[in-house]
Amino acid sequence: MASASCVLSEERLLCSICLDVFTDPVSIQCGHNFCSTCINTYWDSRDTCQCPVCKREFSTRPELQVNTFISELADEFKKLVQVKASTPGPQLPVVDVLCDICSEIKEKAVKSCLTCLTSFCESHLEPHRRVARLKGHTLLEPVKNLDDRMCKTHNKMTELYCLKEEAFICVLCLKADHKGHNAVPLEEQYEKVAATKDEAQANIHKLIQTRIEKIAEVEKVLDVSQVDSEKEKQATVQVFTELIQSIQASQAEVVEAIEQRHSAIKQKGEEFLKELRREVTELKSRSSQLEHLSQSEDHYHFLQSFQTLSKPPHKSCPDTDLGPDLSFQATQGHLTRLKQRVDEIMEEIPEIRMKRMREHAVDLSLDPDTAFYSLVISEDGKQVTHEDNIEKDEVTDNPERFDTYCRVLAKEGFTTGKFYFEVQVKGKIRWLVGVVRESVERKNAARSSIVNGFWIFRLDEGKYQTSAESKPKILKEELQRLGVFVDYNKGEVSFYNVDSKSRIGCITGCRFTEKLYPFFCPQPNDNGTNSAPLIITPVPQTH
């Protein structure tokens, strides 16, 4: 067999599942090797048999073949590791440690003395083998940086281990910085810790196995998610295809109904025209006869004919109502309501709703002129924090500044349409975010109520409110970014968990009559427990 240095490379002998040296290695049909237990456990946790490396799937569970060559190499490697592990002292390459005594050509050190803090070659080590007082020194395999083992305070060897501070100390440290501490010799601590190696190794292997099982579980979830996603896409495409076909059929029906309506109106109109033209012709004839009669000198004939010609048969004008006056408007109204309903259904899908709200995103910056005196605004105007060490007289007062509570407004205001912004609230336990009317009270302790012009979302240690009047509710999901969507014309303010895309609060029936300003209140930092900033975050662009 080739030498261990050439063949026994640890990377070649690691199972890709447990990441440890092979135990009972087996091969599968694609040529990859695994521990027998690892591959069986991996397959037991899945619905299909798949190679963890190349992802090749097998219709039936492959028959595992023992790989004797890999098995022999793994056993040889483990023996080599055991031999190295049994060698006392640090396993650093000797070639890296040179004799500290050699003056010209440095020889390789064969031993390092912890008492002398010196590394010796074979010839310079001779006194330690011969002189009685030197034989008691502690020798070990050559190591570098022996000075690191010296106490930096007392310049003595660190021969003790402080159990309280978990630090290497010398005997003088026990009388100074570590006075009264429980300290033991390094050898004793080594034996104590070494005795726990097997337990630690077992725990690590247990953690590895747990992670392997979790990997298999996550992979299974991802596989199921992929299948479910494909099914959902196919079902969605099918529904939309049928919906499009239905809409196209409905369009054809509506067009046909409009054409039939027009055809009926046209036919009725043409009948009206025919009748009216006939009556006009008849009336013109009477008019002509009357004109001719007026020239007659036969009094008898004139009187006899005039009564007949001057009074045509009494007949009302034909009805010109050709159809419903609002037929077009009615049809358009029905179709508009249909479109609105489709839009409402589409917005019930969180991703679609979030995408459409983000189309109304606005770029905001905080207005320092409105900030409470103890609030600190970042240079870019996107972050606000509360500081305890700011005095009120350090800030110039002005009519726009809040002089009670930790409040600040954005520079931008809105009087119509829709707008949306997002605020990072991660790490905070108390805060308020929303919108306020321009005339909101700045100089008195006005409650953040709807009556006072505050439309806000308040969080206080896991409980939230959408107004000062509402009852606090427990927030059942983690909230790191808050989305605020305002429909000024509709009179509605909605609050969203950006990460889960769920709506967690809504204020409806509002009647906005003034300019609205985004509002932020980080609340006091409470000795650092609420020190995280409120951050206006960029809204991802939608396409």
Side-chain angles (χ1 to χ4, degrees), residues 208-224:
I208 290 173
Q209 186 61 33
T210 301
R211 298 304 185 273
I212 291 172
E213 293 173 358
K214 183 59 67 175
I215 288 171
E217 180 182 336
V218 172
E219 287 180 340
K220 184 176 181 179
V221 170
L222 291 176
D223 290 342
V224 171

Side-chain angles (χ1 to χ4, degrees), residues 450-505:
I450 294 175
V451 174
N452 292 331
F454 292 81
W455 296 271
I456 53 89
F457 185 94
R458 175 203 303 268
L459 184 76
D460 189 352
E461 296 187 341
K463 294 184 178 181
Y464 72 96
Q465 295 171 271
T466 52
S467 72
E469 299 88 351
S470 62
K471 184 178 180 180
K473 300 178 182 178
I474 297 177
L475 186 63
K476 298 181 180 180
E477 55 185 285
E478 183 180 8
L479 178 58
Q480 296 189 356
R481 281 189 299 163
L482 179 77
V484 182
F485 180 70
V486 180
D487 189 332
Y488 190 102
N489 300 336
K490 189 177 180 180
E492 188 170 292
V493 182
S494 303
F495 305 97
Y496 292 84
N497 184 332
V498 174
D499 296 312
S500 66
K501 300 179 177 60
S502 60
R503 186 165 71 175
I504 53 179

Side-chain angles (χ1 to χ4, degrees), residues 26-273:
V26 293
S27 299
I28 59 177
Q29 295 173 2
C30 59
H32 292 108
N33 304 297
F34 309 93
C35 299
S36 177
T37 302
C38 292
I39 189 63
N40 279 305
T41 302
Y42 181 80
W43 283 342
D44 289 342
S45 63
R46 301 171 65 88
D47 295 330
T48 59
C49 291
Q50 184 184 62
C51 175
V53 177
C54 65
K55 304 302 181 183
R56 176 179 170 184
E57 291 190 3
F58 305 99
S59 57
T60 58
R61 191 160 183 154
E63 182 178 350
L64 301 177
Q65 302 293 329
V66 177
N67 192 319
T68 55
F69 178 71
I70 295 293
S71 180
E72 291 175 1
L73 289 180
D75 291 341
E76 194 69 24
F77 180 82
K78 290 177 181 178
K79 291 177 182 178
L80 180 62
V81 171
Q82 290 173 356
V83 171
K84 289 183 177 180
S86 64
T87 304
Q91 300 301 308
L92 294 178
V94 177
V95 69
D96 291 337
V97 183
L98 300 178
C99 177
D100 294 325
I101 307 300
C102 292
S103 58
E104 296 182 358
I105 300 176
K106 294 283 187 179
E107 296 289 337
K108 296 179 182 178
V110 295
K111 292 291 181 180
S112 293
C113 178
L114 292 181
T115 307
C116 302
L117 293 180
T118 306
S119 295
F120 300 98
C121 65
E122 189 63 48
S123 59
H124 288 116
L125 182 65
E126 189 272 337
H128 279 73
R129 304 188 191 280
R130 176 174 50 83
V131 180
R133 65 182 181 82
L134 297 180
K135 289 183 179 181
H137 289 190
T138 302
L139 299 177
L140 70 163
E141 293 302 308
V143 294
K144 299 181 71 174
N145 303 323
L146 284 169
D147 289 343
D148 292 344
R149 305 189 180 214
M150 292 289 292
C151 173
K152 300 299 186 291
T153 303
H154 305 107
N155 199 31
K156 292 183 68 67
M157 176 63 64
T158 54
E159 300 175 337
L160 302 173
Y161 185 80
C162 177
L163 298 177
K164 181 177 180 180
E165 301 289 342
E166 297 184 346
F168 299 97
I169 62 175
C170 70
V171 291
L172 296 181
C173 290
L174 277 177
K175 300 178 181 179
D177 297 339
H178 295 263
K179 185 177 181 179
H181 292 184
N182 187 13
V184 297
L186 292 181
E187 294 83 359
E188 181 180 332
Q189 183 65 13
Y190 164 78
E191 292 176 358
K192 180 180 178 182
V193 173
T196 65
K197 180 184 71 69
D198 292 341
E199 181 181 355
Q201 190 79 329
N203 289 335
I204 291 174
H205 281 295
K206 185 177 181 180
L207 290 174
I208 290 173
Q209 186 61 33
T210 301
R211 298 304 185 273
I212 291 172
E213 293 173 358
K214 183 59 67 175
I215 288 171
E217 180 182 336
V218 172
E219 287 180 340
K220 184 176 181 179
V221 170
L222 291 176
D223 290 342
V224 171
S225 176
Q226 178 67 26
V227 172
D228 290 347
S229 177
E230 291 299 326
K231 290 181 179 179
E232 186 176 2
K233 284 194 293 185
Q234 292 175 4
T236 300
V237 170
Q238 178 64 29
V239 169
F240 270 98
T241 300
E242 294 175 357
L243 177 61
I244 291 171
Q245 292 173 347
S246 175
I247 290 175
Q248 289 174 337
S250 298
Q251 175 184 317
E253 289 178 347
V254 172
V255 170
E256 182 181 1
I258 293 173
E259 291 176 347
Q260 289 177 349
R261 184 189 304 145
H262 173 68
S263 178
I265 292 173
K266 182 179 178 182
Q267 181 180 356
K268 189 174 182 181
E270 288 176 349
E271 292 176 354
F272 287 166
L273 291 174

